[in-house]
Amino acid sequence: MTKPCPGGDTGRIYDIAFVILTWNSEKYIDDCLKSLQSFRKLRVCICVVDNGSTDDTHRILQSYSSVPSLCMQVVLLDGNYGTTVSRNKGIRLVRDKAEYLCILDSDTIVNEAAFLQMIATLRQDQRNGIVGPVLQSLDGSIQQSGRNLPTLTVKLLKGMPVRFLQERGERLEKIAISPDRATRVGYLMSACWLLPMGVVRDLGYLDEEIFYAPEDVEYCLRAWSKGYRALLEPRAAIVHAWQRLSKKKLFSRHNYEHIKGLCYLFRKYGYCFSREKFERLMNA
């Protein structure tokens, strides 16, 4: 089911089109949508794609769909199709409506100042393809949202049930972030991405061979391969509750799909232990 923007306002051009994916998000989606309602300088439209929620998410979305001032589409799917298929459905609906696309998780609380800063960063250079903000947890701690590209070594270390080996893997992923300028990163967590819509058209849709992860790594690798940069903007920050579904159960569909996605990624881009060829692109 799709609910179009109020008043048939499908032809209007917006500054940012937000694609938000929900799946049993009743604890988060209300705060996320409220934060988007606070935007005043930027014109925004919203497409929420729900992955077959069984909690109260649908009722909350329905309450917002009747707000006249909010341009919001709701797509209700009959099951959990993962992150790529579902987000692509939203991207197809908004790609001609706005200058920028934002891929946004439902467990975020955003602010307009962060997006004004990220837009300014994208406009500095046409090679700036994907930009993300600093992600802060609810307790104020900073998440490692911009990282080095993963290797098999890093993933094996992080998966070990020994803390010092996990910490070693995390250090290998970590990138030093400048506090006053955008920093090039191998990839950005897809909790919040901002891209010019022209870059989206050039790169295409998310790779639907990947169900859950690492779709964020794959898309950033595609961007680097085509001459675009992935940047973390430290002067922009939003709140991210970070559900971390893959951490909740060791033997779960999320973890299975993550491992399968990593194997696919390494085959597709021809690397496993060394990311040297992509580091050369990042430093060019």
Side-chain angles (χ1 to χ4, degrees):
M1 181 187 79
T2 300
K3 177 194 175 298
C5 294
D9 192 16
T10 55
R12 180 181 174 188
I13 298 300
Y14 293 85
D15 294 311
I16 305 176
F18 288 87
V19 172
I20 304 172
L21 187 62
T22 54
W23 180 67
N24 292 340
S25 303
E26 64 180 5
K27 294 181 180 178
Y28 308 102
I29 189 61
D30 187 50
D31 287 338
C32 180
L33 293 176
K34 280 180 180 176
S35 67
L36 284 168
Q37 276 189 300
S38 69
F39 283 35
R40 295 293 178 265
K41 296 180 180 179
L42 296 169
R43 296 167 299 158
V44 304
C45 64
I46 303 164
C47 180
V48 181
V49 182
D50 183 76
N51 253 340
S53 291
T54 56
D55 63 358
D56 213 23
T57 299
H58 291 179
R59 183 194 62 78
I60 296 170
L61 293 176
Q62 183 61 38
S63 71
Y64 278 92
S65 65
S66 60
V67 177
S69 61
L70 191 64
C71 178
M72 187 171 86
Q73 295 174 276
V74 177
V75 181
L76 302 179
L77 303 181
D78 59 3
N80 189 346
Y81 291 84
T83 56
T84 56
V85 171
S86 304
R87 282 174 172 159
N88 282 345
K89 289 180 183 294
I91 295 170
R92 288 186 179 95
L93 288 172
V94 303
R95 60 176 289 172
D96 296 322
K97 290 185 178 180
E99 185 177 358
Y100 297 95
L101 169 71
C102 178
I103 299 294
L104 190 67
D105 276 2
S106 60
D107 56 352
T108 56
I109 301 173
V110 300
N111 62 87
E112 191 171 40
F115 283 87
L116 289 169
Q117 177 60 61
M118 288 191 288
I119 287 173
T121 299
L122 288 172
R123 288 178 175 172
Q124 286 175 357
D125 193 315
Q126 63 181 3
R127 293 171 295 176
N128 294 348
I130 309 174
V131 64
V134 171
L135 301 179
Q136 297 177 334
S137 300
L138 293 172
D139 62 5
S141 59
I142 303 301
Q143 299 166 15
Q144 192 176 317
S145 54
R147 308 179 186 187
N148 276 318
L149 293 171
T151 63
L152 182 58
T153 300
V154 167
K155 290 298 182 180
L156 288 174
L157 286 170
K158 291 182 67 177
M160 293 292 179
V162 182
R163 185 57 195 160
F164 82 88
L165 292 177
Q166 293 175 358
E167 291 173 348
R168 172 64 175 161
E170 290 168 0
R171 285 196 297 271
L172 290 173
E173 269 194 329
K174 195 168 185 178
I175 289 179
I177 304 298
S178 171
D180 55 3
R181 61 180 173 83
T183 302
R184 300 180 192 188
V185 295
Y187 78 101
L188 294 155
M189 285 172 55
S190 58
C192 182
W193 283 355
L194 188 68
L195 308 84
M197 204 64 81
V199 172
V200 177
R201 296 187 186 99
D202 191 13
L203 296 181
Y205 296 104
L206 296 166
D207 190 334
E208 295 185 0
E209 291 295 321
I210 300 173
F211 175 82
Y212 164 67
E215 89 291 350
D216 45 9
V217 183
E218 192 284 326
Y219 205 75
C220 288
L221 275 171
R222 205 186 313 171
W224 282 113
S225 299
K226 284 208 164 192
Y228 295 110
R229 299 168 180 151
L231 302 168
L232 181 69
E233 177 49 79
R235 295 164 293 185
I238 69 167
V239 174
H240 181 216
W242 205 6
Q243 300 176 70
R244 302 193 74 173
L245 296 173
S246 62
K247 295 289 185 180
K248 292 184 177 181
K249 292 181 181 179
L250 180 60
F251 301 104
S252 66
R253 184 185 181 186
H254 287 99
N255 281 338
Y256 166 74
E257 293 291 351
H258 192 181
I259 293 168
K260 187 171 76 170
L262 280 169
C263 294
Y264 170 78
L265 177 84
F266 292 145
R267 289 197 308 271
K268 180 175 181 177
Y269 287 93
Y271 88 104
C272 187
F273 293 101
S274 174
R275 53 194 172 217
E276 182 180 352
K277 65 179 180 179
F278 294 104
E279 288 174 342
R280 287 198 298 268
L281 288 174
M282 291 172 59
N283 294 322

